[in-house]
Structure formats: C-alpha cells, structure tokens
Amino acid sequence: MASARYHIAQNLQNPDAALRLVEDTEKAILKRLENPLAFEPYRSIRERENPYYRINIRNYTVFYAVIGNVTEVRRFIYS
C-alpha cells in the first residue's frame, strides 16, 4: 500500500489521489471486518491453510486471510 501511495503521490504527482486511495482502502477494509467470511474465498491454484478473500478498490485488489478472529491483509495489488 505504501508503495502505491508513494507512486501516485510522487511519480504521478497527485498526492490528493494517493490520499483518496488510502482512505477508500481503509474504509473498504473496515466495512469488510464486520463479516469477513461472508464472501466467497478467492479461487487459487495454491492450497492455503487460510484461504484468501478479495476486496476490489478501484484498480486495486486487497487479498486478506482470516485466522481465528484476526483478519490479515496479505496482498495489495494493482489489477
């Protein structure tokens, strides 16, 4: 996430867009925390002990896993 924010703010010279991306990402993750297992797990070739779930935010995808009562963000990818 930090590198995406840096890229948008510095390389693209758009700090406002970078801030909006951070805010939108935070808002989406907090909303998903209300019921993180209510969505279909992401289909992966790789078998995982804790399946990944996906949140789409604009042109980015957040992948997270639920381990007990903890939701852990694993990937933040430009898609």
Side-chain angles (χ1 to χ4, degrees):
M1 177 70 183
S3 63
R5 185 192 63 190
Y6 178 85
H7 173 72
I8 294 168
Q10 300 300 316
N11 297 345
L12 301 180
Q13 306 230 337
N14 196 339
D16 292 335
L19 180 59
R20 283 192 306 276
L21 176 61
V22 170
E23 290 171 346
D24 290 350
T25 301
E26 183 177 288
K27 190 183 309 181
I29 290 171
L30 290 173
K31 182 168 178 55
R32 184 64 62 97
L33 287 176
E34 295 172 8
N35 202 350
L37 296 174
F39 299 85
E40 182 178 346
Y42 178 73
R43 294 175 145 216
S44 176
I45 296 170
R46 185 182 209 189
E47 185 149 342
R48 303 177 190 283
E49 182 178 341
N50 301 295
Y52 280 13
Y53 294 86
R54 173 174 57 190
I55 306 171
N56 295 316
I57 304 159
R58 296 194 214 158
N59 293 333
Y60 293 86
T61 303
V62 173
F63 290 96
Y64 68 92
V66 179
I67 305 163
N69 63 351
V70 174
T71 300
E72 185 177 283
V73 173
R74 297 284 179 92
R75 305 270 188 276
F76 183 83
I77 302 171
Y78 181 79
S79 42

